[in-house]
Amino acid sequence: MVVYKKIIAVVVTHNRCKLLKRCIKKIKDQSIPPEEILVVNNGSTDDTEKVLKKLKIKTINQNNVGSAGGWEKGIEFAVRNQYDAVWLMDDDGYPDKYSLEILKNSIDKKMACISSIVLKENNQQEFVFPYPVMNENNKPSLFKWPRKINNIKQLLKKSIDSKYPYIHLFNGALIPINVIKKIGNVNKNYFIYGDDLDYTFRLMREGNIFSNINAIHYHPDVTKRSFSRLKIYYLLKNTLIITKKYHQNILLRQILQIINILLIIIRRNGINYFISRILIKNYRLIPLAIYRGISGKMGFDKDV
């Protein structure tokens, strides 16, 4: 077991003042709390700055450069200030009281990352983000069925020593700084969506990654949230980019992902929104996202 004494918790936030307060409280209440908490405030226009000043939390205030730009700034701070490890989480989720202690006690030298499992806060047996079934190379399988693991009971059957070889990165993930120095920082060109997946695959190349079933992170059910036009664009574009970079059977995967993402949009936003606001009013949005995703064009697109 490796001992990481100097750990910083990094939270990226944007206009979620009440949820951020809850997250910070849960970090402070850890059985073994981190040495420092850093919040990267991505251009919030609510009371976020006032709350952070009142709580006396170390803060980086910057323009909204997307989640990727927020993580890039927070991780850069952790590396520059010589922490041993960084504990990453979004503002809307929160860790169980013993999460960090469990993660610290279960990481070893061969691990590039150890993370909590992410449960629905109102249904604590089901995952917010399903886990993929892995193939023999410990990559998400395309051909196995079912392809997703939706609850703790299913994951236990496929785990070894309470660990499963996949993570949902920015939801209670602990990463050693020496690993970050080897693979580099988060790619801020993903803007929103895909930065977590890209970094997950880069971590895989450096060492083992695991979710520890005993370390729990609670999170709102995101299936109830609708997508904005901007999020639809970057979700589709960046998913296609990542598939081309890290997977086999690229064309088949990309076709299946396009279909799956369109179905998710319809389920979240409704068929009327999809037809009237996307297919008619913003008829260029989806073809443009697909073209640029397949072409590998990263970065913020001003014409969207």
Side-chain angles (χ1 to χ4, degrees):
M1 184 180 71
V2 183
V3 178
Y4 294 109
K5 294 182 178 179
K6 192 179 179 184
I7 295 176
I8 183 171
V10 174
V11 183
V12 173
T13 191
H14 176 71
N15 284 346
R16 285 179 178 154
C17 182
K18 291 182 179 179
L19 293 175
L20 177 63
K21 285 172 66 176
R22 179 181 67 175
C23 180
I24 291 171
K25 182 181 185 302
K26 296 295 184 179
I27 295 173
K28 288 183 173 181
D29 289 345
Q30 288 294 293
S31 57
I32 300 178
E35 182 172 313
E36 185 73 82
I37 301 173
L38 171 70
V39 173
V40 181
N41 177 21
N42 258 354
S44 295
T45 55
D46 59 4
D47 289 333
T48 293
E49 285 193 49
K50 293 179 182 178
V51 168
L52 292 171
K53 287 179 181 178
K54 185 176 180 179
L55 295 175
K56 298 180 180 179
I57 298 295
K58 188 179 292 293
T59 306
I60 296 174
N61 293 305
Q62 61 181 19
N63 294 330
N64 187 7
V65 290
S67 58
W71 294 119
E72 191 256 358
K73 184 65 70 174
I75 290 172
E76 177 190 18
F77 180 93
V79 173
R80 188 174 67 248
N81 288 277
Q82 300 180 337
Y83 286 90
D84 295 328
V86 58
W87 192 31
L88 305 168
M89 65 193 74
D90 280 317
D91 51 5
D92 51 348
Y94 62 93
D96 177 74
K97 183 177 180 67
Y98 300 98
S99 293
L100 183 55
E101 180 179 358
I102 291 169
L103 296 175
K104 285 179 66 176
N105 290 337
S106 60
I107 196 166
D108 63 41
K109 290 182 179 179
K110 294 182 180 180
M111 290 185 192
C113 178
I114 186 78
S115 186
S116 301
I117 59 172
V118 191
L119 299 178
K120 295 179 181 179
E121 60 182 350
N122 295 324
N123 184 351
Q124 298 178 3
Q125 292 299 311
E126 291 189 2
F127 298 126
V128 177
F129 313 104
Y131 285 81
V133 174
M134 309 301 278
N135 61 23
E136 59 277 2
N137 298 316
N138 268 351
K139 284 194 173 182
S141 174
L142 178 61
F143 300 109
K144 291 185 179 180
W145 189 262
R147 296 181 59 232
K148 299 293 183 181
I149 300 169
N150 296 300
N151 57 57
I152 293 179
K153 186 177 180 180
Q154 293 171 355
L155 193 67
L156 278 169
K157 294 178 181 178
K158 295 183 177 294
S159 301
I160 299 174
D161 296 330
S162 299
K163 297 183 183 69
Y164 187 74
Y166 194 80
I167 58 173
H168 292 296
L169 187 61
F170 300 131
N171 295 279
L174 183 67
I175 307 176
I177 294 298
N178 66 299
V179 171
I180 293 171
K181 288 179 178 179
K182 292 177 182 177
I183 70 171
N185 207 330
V186 168
N187 189 337
K188 63 183 180 181
N189 288 321
Y190 281 102
F191 186 53
I192 52 175
Y193 284 111
D195 47 335
D196 54 343
L197 281 176
D198 177 77
Y199 210 62
T200 294
F201 284 113
R202 287 163 62 190
L203 287 165
M204 282 181 177
R205 290 174 173 176
E206 182 57 32
N208 297 324
I209 64 168
F210 292 104
S211 289
N212 189 315
I213 293 177
N214 298 311
I216 299 171
H217 199 82
Y218 299 105
H219 196 284
D221 183 358
V222 298
T223 61
K224 308 300 181 183
R225 295 177 183 172
S226 60
F227 289 114
S228 67
R229 177 182 57 82
L230 203 63
K231 288 184 177 180
I232 289 171
Y233 174 81
Y234 284 103
L235 171 61
L236 187 51
K237 185 184 85 162
N238 290 346
T239 298
L240 296 175
I241 289 172
I242 288 166
T243 297
K244 189 174 182 179
K245 286 178 69 174
Y246 296 109
H247 288 291
Q248 297 176 330
N249 308 112
I250 295 171
L251 180 59
L252 177 58
R253 280 185 180 272
Q254 287 181 327
I255 291 171
L256 292 175
Q257 284 168 339
I258 291 169
I259 294 170
N260 184 53
I261 289 171
L262 295 181
L263 289 174
I264 291 172
I265 295 166
I266 292 170
R267 188 163 62 246
R268 295 250 199 124
N269 291 55
I271 187 66
N272 291 335
Y273 176 94
F274 182 73
I275 293 172
S276 62
R277 297 290 298 277
I278 300 301
L279 295 186
I280 297 176
K281 187 175 181 180
N282 293 284
Y283 61 91
R284 293 176 63 251
L285 190 74
I286 289 175
L288 200 58
I290 293 172
Y291 171 74
R292 288 174 176 171
I294 292 173
S295 302
K297 184 182 182 301
M298 293 183 63
F300 175 72
D301 297 317
K302 296 181 180 179
D303 59 345
V304 175

